[in-house]
Amino acid sequence: MRADLGDLQAFLAVARAGGFREGARAAGTSASGLSEAVRRLETRLGVRLLHRTTRSVRPTEAGARLMERLGPAIGEVEAALDVVNGFRDRPAGTLRLNVPVSAARLVLPRIVPPFLAAYPEIRLEVIAEDSFVDVLAAGCDAGIRYDERLEADMIAVPIGPRVQRFATAAAPAYLRRHGRPQHPRDLLGHACLGGRFASGAMIVWEFERGGEVVRINAAGPLLVSAGAATDLAVAAAVAGTGIVALFEDWLRPHLDSGALEPVLEAWWPSFPGPFLYFPGRRLVPAPLRAFVDFIKAAAGPTTSRQG
């Protein structure tokens, strides 16, 4: 049974986005065009692929099965067609990256503008989320993650700062009212502005000094979702509501301005920086290949590794 590749891509765009309007925005087309393409595909296959309501669009069981197999397959087709890019003077096409919010904020701003200036025919699409996803199934070419969350059988290329620190800070007014913690366990008596991962797990604050590691289940008046609402926790800390724990680079502007002061700085743990990762068992699309070469050149001599 034959189906038009464009109709399959339309179905995938709608299913991933959870709606025709959202899918149209992601695909750069019209909602009516996607609707017609999906209707045409369902007619050709003789089965309903999407449940449509006034509030949402979600795959049927058949649609979910198709989506599961179609994502990687479409990716392979696009990669195969991308071989033609090797015969162009300059790489062209779309590069889709799935990255944590911290990378979108702290790593990519220094890389993206000069990269797009160097490759004007490449369109970069960045999906920022902190849930761990299969980049191929999500329709992305590559992702950015930290070492402990890299998938197996992936090529990993260092990107961004190679060493980062996790910092704790509070407003001067808060420290005047409540005192300055001298040991991580003192935080148990303070107003901590905590976070929760997309999985629902609470973020544990970890400290290290001289080989001693202390983990604190931070509790206080405010709990935010990691990434998406982190700036709210920072704003609350600046306003004197409590103590915030976050990437040092995220807090650095407020530390430099004096709006926040370091807390327990001698205990701030350091950890390796993030990696750009992508499958090593498929053709590398020309836009991704250009991006990898660009970050390697910017970083100087570095080594890639197999995950």
Side-chain angles (χ1 to χ4, degrees), residues 178-193:
H178 301 283
R180 183 181 295 274
Q182 300 301 312
H183 189 278
R185 294 189 186 91
D186 295 342
L187 293 171
L188 297 174
H190 280 266
C192 296
L193 309 177

Side-chain angles (χ1 to χ4, degrees), residues 97 104 107-118 124 126 291 294-295:
L97 300 180
V107 175
L108 292 181
R110 298 173 185 173
I111 297 173
V112 168
F115 172 72
L116 293 179
L124 180 62
V126 177
F291 189 69
F294 186 85
I295 62 174

Side-chain angles (χ1 to χ4, degrees), residues 194-205:
R196 188 193 300 275
F197 292 115
S199 65
M202 299 291 293
I203 297 176
V204 176
W205 293 8

Side-chain angles (χ1 to χ4, degrees), residues 43-260:
T43 300
R44 183 170 292 132
L45 297 178
V47 63
R48 179 176 291 277
L49 299 173
L50 297 172
H51 290 300
R52 303 163 174 82
T53 70
T54 54
R55 295 187 177 182
S56 68
V57 174
R58 59 186 178 84
T60 62
E61 183 178 355
R65 292 287 183 87
L66 178 60
M67 185 181 177
E68 181 182 320
R69 300 292 296 273
L70 195 57
I74 290 291
E76 290 295 333
V77 170
E78 291 176 345
L81 293 173
D82 189 70
V83 170
V84 177
N85 248 332
F87 295 91
R88 297 171 58 95
D89 293 333
R90 303 175 66 83
T94 298
L95 171 61
R96 298 180 182 88
L97 300 180
N98 184 283
V99 309
V101 173
S102 60
R105 184 183 180 102
L106 305 177
V107 175
L108 292 181
R110 298 173 185 173
I111 297 173
V112 168
F115 172 72
L116 293 179
Y119 296 96
E121 295 181 53
I122 291 178
R123 176 177 179 265
L124 180 62
E125 181 179 343
V126 177
I127 298 93
E129 57 184 357
D130 285 302
S131 57
F132 192 53
V133 300
D134 181 327
V135 289
L136 288 183
C140 295
D141 301 295
I144 295 178
R145 290 293 183 271
Y146 287 85
D147 193 44
E148 72 277 7
R149 300 197 72 186
L150 289 177
E151 297 179 35
D153 302 321
M154 291 282 174
I155 293 175
V157 179
I159 185 172
R162 298 324 309 142
V163 178
Q164 293 181 285
R165 290 200 298 177
F166 202 67
T168 41
Y174 175 89
L175 296 173
R176 284 196 300 270
R177 291 196 309 270
H178 301 283
R180 183 181 295 274
Q182 300 301 312
H183 189 278
R185 294 189 186 91
D186 295 342
L187 293 171
L188 297 174
H190 280 266
C192 296
L193 309 177
R196 188 193 300 275
F197 292 115
S199 65
M202 299 291 293
I203 297 176
V204 176
W205 293 8
E206 185 171 297
F207 300 88
E208 188 274 332
R209 186 176 69 175
E212 180 185 1
V213 176
V214 179
R215 295 179 177 86
I216 300 296
N217 292 311
L222 179 64
L223 180 66
V224 301
S225 57
T230 298
D231 278 331
L232 175 59
V234 175
V238 170
T241 304
I243 299 175
V244 67
L246 195 56
F247 291 96
E248 179 185 3
D249 291 344
W250 202 316
L251 297 178
R252 178 50 56 191
H254 302 290
L255 294 169
D256 289 344
S257 72
L260 293 176

